[in-house]
Every structure is written in C-alpha cells, then in structure tokens.
Amino acid sequence: MGIEASFEIEITPADAVLPGTGRFDFTKEWSGAAAGTSSGVMLSAGDPASGTAGYVALETFDGVLDGRSGTLAFQQFGRMESGAQELRYEIVPGSGTGELADVGGTLALAIDDDGVHHVTFSLR
C-alpha cells in the first residue's frame, strides 16, 4: 500500500530561459503522510491549448514523509499528445538528507474535480 498525501500549489509565471518555452516557479504546501513545503521550477514547450505539449520540473521538499524528516528532490517529466497525458514523477536518487537520506521511489498524481492534488508515494 502506498503512502497518501495531498498538496496545494501556487504557480507563478517567470521569464523563459529558452526561446519558444515557458517557465513557471511554484510552491506547494503538503499535508497527510507528506507534511511540509516544496518549491520548484517548471519548463514547458508546445501548445497546451491544442493538447500537445511537454514539461519538466524539479522541486525540493522539506518536511516529514511517512514519519521521517529531512529533505528530498522530486523530478517530473510530463507530456500531452492529442490530449492524452503521461507523467513520470520520481524522487531524485541521492537527493535525501536527514532521515530521508536513503529514500527513493515514485509518486503517482491524481487531480480531483475540485483541483485538489492527491499523491501516492511508492517508496523503496
């Protein structure tokens, strides 16, 4: 069984770093089995309005995960083609500190109709 958490996100557009791309800075407030804060940067390209685009994101988490405290980095690779979406969301290997130093695994993301982001961690 996975570890359940949710987060609220605040996204702020920022200056693009490459031609033809978008950049967004974000912060998250986590609750549930992952309690704490994270912040990150997202880069995107393509045409989301037409259902074809992609993004990458890197974020750092500071808090408690499944009763252990420390920091971790998460990486995301998302793509949308003809409206079909895919997402890889992982803990960056070697990024943990404190009691999270040896933690690895993946995250599964689901967004409900009210916009609440639910995450299930599969730790190893």
Side-chain angles (χ1 to χ4, degrees):
M1 176 172 238
I3 297 163
E4 303 287 327
S6 61
F7 64 80
E8 294 183 18
I9 186 168
E10 183 176 320
I11 300 174
T12 305
D15 291 337
V17 294
L18 299 168
T21 65
R23 175 182 161 199
F24 304 89
D25 297 333
F26 62 88
T27 58
K28 296 178 181 176
E29 291 289 332
W30 291 80
S31 59
T37 60
S38 65
S39 59
V41 175
M42 178 187 304
L43 302 175
S44 65
D47 183 10
S50 73
T52 305
Y55 80 92
V56 294
L58 191 64
E59 71 184 278
T60 55
F61 170 84
D62 185 1
V64 176
L65 175 60
D66 197 29
R68 297 185 279 177
S69 64
T71 63
L72 288 170
F74 304 140
Q75 61 187 19
Q76 296 180 45
F77 175 85
R79 64 186 311 270
M80 176 174 40
E81 190 167 354
S82 300
Q85 298 183 30
E86 296 176 38
L87 173 64
R88 281 188 16 222
Y89 198 175
E90 302 176 358
I91 297 171
V92 176
S95 67
T97 67
E99 295 174 315
L100 300 175
D102 62 347
V103 173
T106 61
L107 296 77
L109 176 65
I111 304 171
D112 66 22
D113 291 338
D114 294 331
V116 177
H117 293 70
H118 300 276
V119 175
T120 302
F121 289 81
S122 295
L123 301 181
R124 56 179 187 272

